[in-house]
Amino acid sequence: MAATWLKDAVFYEIYPQSFYDTNGDGIGDFNGIIDKLDYIKDLGCNALWINPCFDSPFKDAGYDVRDYKKVAPRYGCNNDLYRLFGEAHKKGIKVLLDLVPGHTSEEHEWFKMSQKAEKNEYTNRFIWTDFCFQKAADLNYVGGESERSATYALNFFKCQPALNYGFLKPEEPWQLPMDHPDVIATREALKDVMRFWLSHGCDGFRVDMASSLVKHDDEKKSGTSAIWLDVRKMLDAEFPEAAMVSEWSNPPLALRAGYDMDFYLNIPGGGYSTLMRDYAIFGMEEHEDNSYFKKDGDGDINRFLDEYLKWYEDTKGVGYISMLTCNHDTNRPRYTLEPDELKLAYAFLFTMPGVPYLYYGDEIGMRYLELPTKEGGYFRTGSRTPMQWTKGKNLGFSEGCEDSLYLPVDSAADAPTVEAQENDPDSLLNMVRGILALRHKEEDLQADAEFKVLCSEKGKAFVYKRGSLTIAVNPSNKEQTAPVAVEGEVIYSIGKATLGSQITLAPQTFVVVR
Ligand code: NOJ
């Protein structure tokens, strides 16, 4: 069962490259995160997820790990990260690191050893065929790059060879079964990495491509799930308060595989994408943006609920579904939503069951910037720009010269900043602080309290219960009513509601009623 501290956890995701630079080299660092812990705490976040900060050639922004136990020098040294754990803990903030179990960088020592013609301890650490011209079945593969006469399977980009956790039902001699000793050694190596960071003070992991481990797995991911359950056994015995969140987006499978939380991701056509991102991506046919939180979008909350409720009912008491504002792989919500629309979207996300995640900068409505690719980011690069702290040099991100910055800062005259929004009681930043403070105060708004829909008819106000509280939402620019009797004290509001035998909400309204 989930780590107990998750009940009231609110996570802040930090892309370390772009958060805060304290040594003027144009790139964020661990000391920068330490300097901003009070800001994070005041925001209402009590846990961090830091994107990969390990030694890497950075062909995929650090998701190509060259050494799992050493941090990338550009962020500091291992001791700086240990100090970050300690300082965060003093302020009641937990820290998750990003674990990349499915692949390494092609520059990892294990892979270099695995490429050798002569058999060694790492020969089977990655997935290799038996011959230099042999296809790796239906897996993406690379040939012609090693001394060894074989091709190897990839897990993502060309720079990311797949670690070998075996095949569920091997069909060719090069496909090893899950119980092959060399394959078990991969799993043990993963546990060793986890133990290393947990014993130095980290509180758990966000797990990259968590469903990708066992190849030719079945629909239920039985092979991969068995590995995670084995990892969970180790955690329960050795680090019972460690928390794990999966990049899987299938809570019924992920949570039963031992995860505490699973991200509800922006999968085109999926329920979450209909809330804020119902626009064409990845070459989809152009269509109108009918996102639920677009005020003129004619959205329908049922497109979200149809998927969410099934998952919610199925996983209650097993683990948590994690709603997120955005992450380093998706366009920022500000891409299509204005701050007035974001306020309603965030009020909703941050009062849902499960454990919410806020991506750095979304709290001030940072824009998605159209930029050339950086470190394998491609379209994602626009969501990875430096945090905007002040109106000063480089928007307060770095004292370095402008052309040394990891990515350019938003050059718009009205680029949102923390400084400006701190002084504006109506700002998005202060709204986020307010709703997160309420969440921490009211147990009924936290991870475990029941969620029950009272009215979800299209065109009517969306009304639901969280525990004993009633919440009503109208994101549209037209007044909406719901045929539900709601009486009581309004304890939080954006906009205006009229309570009674039915509830009427002015345009763009969100209320919590006790
Ligand atoms: C998912 C990560 O979020 C993404 O940024 C990365 O490129 C791939 N996994 C590969 O590790």
Side-chain angles (χ1 to χ4, degrees), residues 49 51 60-61 63-64 98 100 103 155-157 160 206 208-209 247 327-329 376 380 384:
W49 154 28
N51 288 112
D60 184 15
Y63 283 97
D64 46 331
D98 210 317
V100 188
H103 48 267
N155 216 35
F156 198 66
F157 286 151
Q160 291 155 319
R206 174 268 185 187
D208 188 67
M209 295 175 67
E247 186 199 31
N327 69 20
H328 60 289
D329 289 333
R380 308 173 293 183
R384 299 174 174 186

Side-chain angles (χ1 to χ4, degrees), residues 65 67-69 99-104 108-111 121-122 124-126 163-165 180-198 205 213 227-228 230-231 234 238-239:
V65 180
D67 185 339
Y68 284 107
K69 292 187 181 174
L99 183 71
V100 188
H103 48 267
T104 64
H108 195 291
E109 269 314 305
W110 297 345
F111 187 63
E121 191 189 339
Y122 300 97
N124 288 327
R125 179 61 53 94
F126 295 83
L163 280 160
N164 194 357
Y165 294 89
H180 188 285
D182 293 350
V183 164
I184 290 176
T186 307
R187 185 192 309 189
E188 292 307 317
L190 174 70
K191 287 192 210 160
D192 175 57
V193 169
M194 295 174 76
R195 285 190 180 101
F196 177 82
W197 289 110
L198 289 166
F205 301 94
L213 304 193
I227 291 181
W228 290 123
D230 180 50
V231 168
M234 177 278 277
E238 299 172 35
F239 305 94

